[in-house]
C-alpha cells in the first residue's frame, strides 16, 4: 500500500457478510493503533467486506520500513470473531501531503 493513495481493500469472509452487526478493521504499526474503520465505513456484498481508505488515512502510515498490520474483528449478534493478522508494506512517496 502506498502512502497518499486511496486504495479499496476487500476482505473475503467465510460467511455472509450481511449478517455482521459489528466490525472493526484495525491498522497498527510498531504496536500503535494508527487507524480503525468500522462497519459503517464499509461496503458489504455477499461474503465480502470492502473499505476505501482516504489520502489522509494512508498518509498516517509510516514509510520507514515498519510493517503495517491489519486485523478484522467481527460481531454477529453475541458471537465475536477475529481474523489472523495480515501484514503489508507501506510504499513511500517523494512529496509529503495530499494532492
Amino acid at each position: 500500500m502506498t502512502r497518499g493513495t486511496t486504495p479499496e481493500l476487500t476482505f473475503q469472509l467465510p460467511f455472509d457478510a450481511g449478517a455482521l452487526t459489528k466490525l472493526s478493521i484495525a491498522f497498527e504499526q510498531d504496536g500503535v493503533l494508527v487507524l480503525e474503520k468500522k462497519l459503517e465505513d464499509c461496503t458489504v456484498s455477499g461474503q465480502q467486506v470492502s473499505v476505501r481508505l482516504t489520502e489522509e488515512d494512508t498518509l498516517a502510515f509510516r514509510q520507514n520500513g515498519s510493517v503495517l498490520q491489519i486485523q478484522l474483528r467481527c460481531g454477529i449478534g453475541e458471537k465475536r470473531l477475529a481474523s489472523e493478522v495480515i501484514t503489508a508494506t507501506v510504499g513511500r512517496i517523494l512529496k509529503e501531503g495530499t494532492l
Side-chain angles (χ1 to χ4, degrees), residues 28-98:
E28 176 189 280
Q29 278 186 308
D30 298 325
V32 176
L33 182 67
V34 178
L35 177 67
E36 181 182 24
K37 294 293 186 178
K38 299 285 195 168
L39 184 57
E40 55 269 17
D41 302 315
C42 299
T43 303
V44 173
S45 178
Q47 292 184 302
Q48 293 184 334
V49 172
S50 298
V51 63
R52 179 161 309 274
L53 302 183
T54 66
E55 279 183 275
E56 292 80 6
D57 290 338
T58 60
L59 285 169
F61 303 141
R62 288 184 305 287
Q63 63 187 22
N64 63 357
S66 66
V67 173
L68 177 66
Q69 297 184 314
I70 306 166
Q71 185 178 44
L72 282 73
R73 292 181 59 212
C74 309
I76 301 174
E78 296 301 314
K79 292 182 182 178
R80 299 294 183 259
L81 305 162
S83 73
E84 296 292 324
V85 174
I86 302 160
T87 59
T89 57
V90 178
R92 71 186 198 109
I93 55 175
L94 299 179
K95 182 185 175 297
E96 192 63 33
T98 59

Side-chain angles (χ1 to χ4, degrees), residues 13-33:
L13 304 180
F15 53 84
D16 180 17
L20 291 171
T21 54
K22 293 182 180 276
L23 176 69
S24 168
I25 305 174
F27 298 82
E28 176 189 280
Q29 278 186 308
D30 298 325
V32 176
L33 182 67

